[in-house]
Amino acid sequence: MANFFFLLLTTCLFLTHISGQTIAPPPPPTAATTPAALPAAAQEFLDAHNKARAEVGVGPLKWSPMLAKETSLLVRYQRNKQNCNFANLTSGKYGGNQLWASGMAVTPRMAVDNWVAEKKFYNYANNSCVGDHKCGVYTQVVWKESLELGCAQATCSNGPSTLTICFYNPPGNVIGEKPY
């Protein structure tokens, strides 16, 4: 029994000695990593859209890698299987804009500027387009309920030409509603 008591006392002293040691604190948590920078084309699409939105007091869009992937798949399909013709965007779950341009390379900013150029035909007071003009691609760019953006471009062999497609989530251009 005395040996058991000595062993127990030694064990308690050993544990006390261990717990009395200075143990280095765990390393501090690493700072939250900043999101990776967007590719230049994505940033250009986003900046051009958000500039137009800011001009009418609408909050900025955020880049969606998922929407960018969807548009990339679609634009490549249109290039590879549809001779770079416009895609049918009417049945999709996202809002969409597209631009086809021939004879020159089109930058993301040029595509968005082309859509925003329709602003001059949009009459906010009666939520309509002037005369026979169209302005639905402009109103999609500035649609206040849209929060996410994803875009892609393809260079086509016919011309050469460029096909640009952007998706917006949630979609805009709801009949009877003003964009902002």
Side-chain angles (χ1 to χ4, degrees):
M1 179 77 156
N3 285 344
F4 175 74
F5 181 70
F6 176 72
L7 182 61
L8 182 60
L9 180 60
T10 306
T11 304
C12 289
L13 289 173
F14 179 71
L15 291 174
T16 303
H17 180 65
I18 289 176
S19 66
Q21 291 179 353
T22 304
I23 299 173
T30 57
T33 56
T34 55
L38 291 176
Q43 191 64 57
E44 192 174 339
F45 275 119
L46 196 58
D47 290 346
H49 275 83
N50 287 337
K51 178 179 180 272
R53 293 169 69 85
E55 288 173 359
V56 295
V58 175
L61 293 168
K62 291 183 181 171
W63 188 257
S64 166
M66 187 266 309
L67 291 177
K69 181 180 177 182
E70 293 290 320
T71 57
S72 179
L73 291 170
L74 181 57
V75 81
R76 285 184 289 148
Y77 175 80
Q78 293 303 120
R79 177 192 63 202
N80 298 339
K81 304 289 186 186
Q82 301 297 318
N83 199 30
C84 243
N85 288 315
F86 274 153
N88 179 358
L89 303 180
T90 59
S91 61
K93 61 182 176 178
Y94 307 115
N97 280 343
Q98 56 189 329
L99 176 74
W100 182 85
S102 179
M104 63 182 196
V106 174
T107 67
R109 179 167 309 282
M110 290 167 68
V112 178
D113 287 350
N114 182 276
W115 297 328
V116 172
E118 287 186 355
K119 179 180 183 177
K120 64 184 170 238
F121 304 121
Y122 179 64
N123 181 329
Y124 183 81
N126 65 10
N127 193 30
S128 66
C129 300
V130 177
D132 293 335
H133 296 285
K134 301 207 182 283
C135 51
V137 292
Y138 165 68
T139 55
Q140 177 58 82
V141 168
V142 297
W143 195 263
K144 68 182 174 200
E145 300 299 324
S146 293
L147 303 173
E148 298 179 304
L149 172 70
C151 305
Q153 292 182 301
T155 301
C156 308
S157 60
N158 57 351
S161 60
T162 305
L163 180 62
T164 303
I165 299 176
C166 288
F167 281 162
Y168 306 82
N169 187 40
N173 290 335
V174 177
I175 295 173
E177 290 185 23
K178 290 185 175 183
Y180 50 89

